[in-house]
Amino acid sequence: MFGTIYVRPVGLAENPQTFDGATIRLGNSLVWCHLLAIETIEAGRLVARQIVPVDGFADALATMPGDQADRARTQFANLSRQHPPLALGDRMLRFDQPQVMGILNVTPDSFSDGGRFTDDPAGAADAGFAMLTAGASLIDIGGESTRPDAPVVWEGDEIARVVPAIKALAHSGAILSVDTRKAAVMEAALQAGAHIVNDVSALLFDSRAIDVVRQAGCPVVLMHAPSQGQNPHTGAGYGNVVTDVFDWLEARIAAVIAGGIARDRILIDPGIGFGKSLADNLALINALPLFHALGQPILFGASRKRMIGALSNEAPVDARLGGSITLALSAIGSGAQIVRVHDVPETVQAARVWRGLRDAALTMPGLD
């Protein structure tokens, strides 16, 4: 049969004991899987699906043509790939439990909180410290809005926005990421004390970006967007949004590795809200477990986004807390290692309660 194979986790479990150990642990997270859907997609359409238990996967491979079996075997291995902690100076980023990344915008025009900390590095630092106190493991600092039709910011202005905030937080014990598409901003931010580059263009907007990340040896988040030009929301058009985004990220991971960046320094983000309709976003969120088959830690960001308003009587940006937490917990329940949020205290509390439930499930005895 022609088409492209995808191995999608469909039977998630809160512990491996329930299925007598016949599970895989997704991405070293606290989520296990006992059933897999082996799906064949051709021209954007599902043409075949086989549901198999994890311990029956090898038998299913035996029925596939060699190239499809090889792809399925690689994805199966990626699903349970171990992600060791990232050593970032004297900080450590672990992937065996969900982490909360706080959003710190130092822009005048971000869709949610633009203007709060423009020309106010002390206020930005205070907000960052408050997120850390509330339990954030990472702070993501951005100096350019990437909302639809936002103007591109000159790199000098962007540097002037983000560097003071990074310097103010560099000695706080936090892991800091810089949310930028520009190589010069990456260089300045990393020199000021940032540890991670979070690029909505997956290192494609600026031709020097991949060299900067390679030379720094820092982790990088590769996000999917339909355009890597000035407006990352343009040019959308999907045959099958889930597999199209998967394929794009798969190719981008390979290209970045070929460019000299180590696989263990790469994180991925499916780009919720970037050039995607409500239906596209919902499909990606429901299919998030599939993205573990790429073999990289997953960063998920849907905080306060437009889709929440679309599902809740057009609730304004500042009235989307419930939806934001729901989406964050959905992602955590799919094994996402990092959730990027505006509302840190509430999300941390929700994640800790989720973790408590998961820890309790893991201590449940199995059958004698």
Side-chain angles (χ1 to χ4, degrees):
M1 177 177 291
F2 297 104
T4 305
I5 290 288
Y6 300 88
V7 180
R8 183 166 62 92
V10 293
L12 304 187
E14 71 277 4
N15 67 64
Q17 297 94 277
T18 302
F19 300 95
D20 295 329
T23 59
I24 54 175
R25 184 177 181 180
L26 294 182
N28 201 38
S29 70
L30 290 172
V31 178
W32 281 260
C33 171
H34 67 98
L35 283 179
L36 299 166
I38 303 173
E39 299 178 333
T40 305
I41 304 294
E42 185 176 4
R45 294 188 308 108
L46 176 69
V47 296
R49 176 188 287 139
Q50 182 181 7
I51 307 295
V52 300
V54 164
D55 55 2
F57 185 75
D59 293 336
L61 286 180
T63 67
M64 298 181 195
D67 57 342
Q68 290 188 340
D70 289 344
R71 178 174 170 83
R73 189 177 295 109
T74 297
Q75 290 187 21
F76 182 79
N78 281 344
L79 286 171
S80 56
R81 182 187 293 274
Q82 296 292 299
H83 302 303
L86 284 177
L88 304 170
D90 58 355
R91 292 122 170 128
M92 193 73 69
L93 178 59
R94 296 175 56 179
F95 297 117
D96 60 348
Q97 55 188 301
Q99 308 288 353
V100 173
M101 170 188 276
I103 299 169
L104 182 57
N105 289 320
V106 284
T107 60
D109 58 348
S110 288
F111 83 96
S112 176
D113 53 359
R116 286 183 61 200
F117 305 117
T118 305
D119 301 321
D120 184 11
D126 287 345
F129 284 121
M131 292 180 193
L132 296 173
T133 301
S137 302
L138 310 88
I139 306 295
D140 191 40
I141 302 169
E144 178 185 57
S145 174
T146 51
R147 62 179 172 78
D149 300 316
V152 176
V153 177
W154 176 56
E155 61 190 26
D157 288 340
E158 192 175 341
I159 289 169
R161 292 173 180 177
V162 301
V163 164
I166 292 170
K167 286 183 175 179
L169 290 166
H171 301 292
S172 65
I175 298 170
L176 305 178
S177 68
V178 59
D179 180 2
T180 186
R181 304 179 283 179
K182 303 183 188 71
V185 181
M186 296 174 192
E187 289 174 319
L190 292 167
Q191 185 175 6
H195 306 93
I196 299 171
V197 168
N198 181 15
D199 184 353
V200 300
S201 79
L203 303 181
L204 286 168
F205 179 82
D206 189 323
S207 61
R208 282 204 315 117
I210 192 168
D211 294 328
V212 170
V213 172
R214 181 184 65 247
Q215 291 167 10
C218 66
V220 60
V221 181
L222 306 177
M223 195 199 81
H224 172 272
S227 171
Q228 288 71 55
Q230 292 192 0
N231 185 347
H233 300 268
T234 61
Y238 306 102
N240 179 314
V241 67
V242 172
T243 56
D244 286 356
V245 172
F246 184 99
D247 293 347
W248 190 93
L249 285 170
E250 183 178 41
R252 194 65 197 133
I253 291 165
V256 167
I257 291 172
I261 295 173
R263 176 180 280 277
D264 66 3
R265 311 304 275 180
I266 298 171
L267 296 82
I268 58 167
D269 179 346
I272 300 299
F274 279 77
K276 300 173 180 76
S277 68
L278 173 61
D280 293 335
N281 289 321
L282 293 171
L284 285 167
I285 293 166
N286 283 330
L288 194 62
L290 168 66
F291 288 84
H292 291 288
L294 292 169
Q296 309 303 130
I298 297 170
L299 185 152
F300 177 88
S303 177
R304 299 185 185 176
K305 289 196 172 177
R306 185 179 302 173
M307 65 173 293
I308 300 170
L311 292 168
S312 54
N313 298 318
E314 299 303 329
V317 169
D318 60 357
R320 297 176 182 173
L321 175 60
S324 296
I325 291 178
T326 298
L327 293 177
L329 286 180
S330 175
I332 289 171
S334 292
Q337 287 86 356
I338 301 173
V339 290
R340 180 179 180 272
V341 305
H342 297 87
D343 302 293
V344 169
E346 296 86 351
T347 308
V348 167
Q349 183 180 81
R352 287 175 175 169
V353 172
W354 180 92
R355 173 68 190 273
L357 291 167
R358 193 53 45 109
D359 287 347
L362 286 171
T363 61
M364 288 169 51
L367 293 175
D368 292 331

